[in-house]
Structures are given as structure tokens and as C-alpha cells.
Amino acid sequence: MRVLVVTAVPAERDAVTRACGDRPRVREVPGAELHLAGPYDVLAGGAGPAAAAAATACALAAAPAGEPYACVVSAGIGGGFAPAAPVGSLVVATAIVAADLGAETPDGFVPVTALGFGRDTFLPPGHLVRDVASATGAVPGPVLTVSTVTGSAARTAELLAAHPGAVAEAMEGFGVAEAADRFGVPALELRAVSNAVGPRDRGAWRIGDALAALTGAFGKTAPVVESWTPHDRLDRHSD
């Protein structure tokens, strides 16, 4: 059973395919280029939730008849919330949360669900999360999808107050989960932490180390994903 992996940029895509050693085969699908390695079909879908959703939908729509994907994984590097997810660690999402989808009001931010429409959270199947955490040592917890990378202590505190227990932020997970849900395919999010969420200090980022950790994670996960089946739908939840 194959797993679709969606990253933002080619460097992340290549980090995933390196986990399977051999040079990947490439298959063109409408709107996307899939790199096939081991049990993974990997694509670099672009930065942000809109690009990620569009690329994921294109790949899912192009899946061969009778060969559905067992799962879709949003993968890459991201920022970790200290002290839960230090630089170099791995995180796996127990909830994929659109942290800035909603409205500003005089009383503060209101998520889209509280406005009476849409959704702001997807819950990956618990047993898949446990499989990945067990295989890789990834820290489980909510992963926030943001359209603007956090760059201040004040914004970090706001996010943690709104989403207690959050372990990381990135820019694509919710888009991937939204598309996967439309196709009835379960979704996960697996990230390697390249920097701490907080005041922006580009010199402290460890992108190379995070990409290496991502490769290691997918190498350890490969034997696990082959036992997954495409019968578990993604759960939904509104705060």
C-alpha cells in the first residue's frame, strides 16, 4: 500500500526520498510531479495551505483506479515550541490546526468554527499517530498551520494560550488534511524541528540537521506504513 507525502519545497521532498536509498522514479500527474521511492509517492506542493491543498488534490485525483492511497502525510521542517519540541527533534500531529483561520474582534481572535462556518481542526487517526511516534521517537501533539511564520515572543504566547500543548507550527498541514478529507483518505503531519518558535533568529536555524532528521524519520517509518490500510477516515473536530 502506498502513501502520498506532500512537502512544501524540493529540499524536503528529497530528504524524504533519500530515506529509501535508490534514486526515485518520477511520474508526472496533472499539476504535480511525483517522486516514487519505497512505499512513498512524494511531491513538493509549494508553501502555504492553499498550494498544499491544490497539489494534494491533484495527486489524489490522479491515483490509479483501484489503488487508493493508505494515507497522506504532510511532511517537512517546522518551528518547535520550547521546551516540548527542541531543535532537531521530530513531532507528529495529534491534531492539525488552522491557527489563524477566523476573525479578529475587539475581544480577540475567533476561530472560523466559532463564527458558525468551516472547520479549524482535523484529528489524524490515533493508531497511525502512535505507529509513527513509536517508530521514530516523534513527540506527539497539536501542530499549528499558520500563514505567517511566528517571529515574536508575544505571538508565541498568544498561540500557546489558544492552543495549549501545541508542539510545532508549519504552513501546509491543514491544507493537506483538507484535501485528503475531501477524498476520504486519512492524513498525518510529521515534522522535523529546524528552529524554535519565537523571536526570529535566522542564524539559529538548523535546516540541514532538520532535513537529516526527516530522512531518518521516513526511513524508520517505511516498514510501518506498509501495514496501513485505507479504511480509516480522518476525524473532524471544532474547538
Side-chain angles (χ1 to χ4, degrees):
M1 188 60 64
R2 300 198 67 74
V3 170
L4 176 63
V5 182
V6 183
T7 72
V9 298
E12 294 168 320
R13 178 199 64 204
D14 295 345
V16 174
T17 60
R18 274 197 298 273
C20 298
D22 296 336
R23 184 174 181 177
R25 294 180 292 117
V26 177
R27 180 164 69 91
E28 298 286 344
V29 299
E33 181 183 88
L34 294 176
H35 287 218
L36 284 58
Y40 307 120
D41 292 2
V42 193
L43 66 89
T56 302
C58 285
L60 289 172
E67 299 180 22
Y69 285 108
C71 184
V72 182
V73 182
S74 176
I77 63 175
F81 287 100
V87 173
S89 65
L90 298 165
V91 299
V92 59
T94 56
I96 301 171
V97 184
D100 53 12
L101 183 61
E104 289 290 343
T105 76
D107 298 319
F109 178 77
V110 178
V112 67
T113 48
L115 297 173
F117 55 90
R119 71 195 79 169
D120 61 7
T121 302
F122 287 101
L123 301 179
H127 74 282
L128 301 186
V129 173
R130 290 190 294 273
D131 284 350
V132 170
S134 177
T136 66
V139 177
V143 176
L144 310 183
T145 298
V146 296
S147 295
T148 302
V149 174
T150 300
S152 70
R155 179 58 177 158
T156 303
E158 289 176 2
L159 289 173
L160 287 174
H163 307 283
V167 294
E169 71 168 23
M171 301 180 74
E172 294 78 35
F174 190 82
V176 172
E178 185 77 78
D181 183 69
R182 302 293 177 97
F183 283 81
V185 181
L188 293 175
E189 185 166 7
L190 177 61
R191 297 276 169 184
V193 176
S194 59
N195 59 281
V197 178
R200 188 173 176 82
D201 179 6
R202 193 66 170 76
W205 289 23
R206 297 292 180 265
I207 292 176
D209 292 343
L211 291 173
L214 194 66
T215 299
F218 275 88
K220 294 173 181 175
T221 303
V224 176
V225 303
E226 294 182 0
S227 67
W228 292 350
T229 58
H231 68 277
D232 293 301
R233 287 184 58 85
L234 191 70
D235 295 326
R236 303 180 186 185
H237 175 71
S238 300
D239 289 334

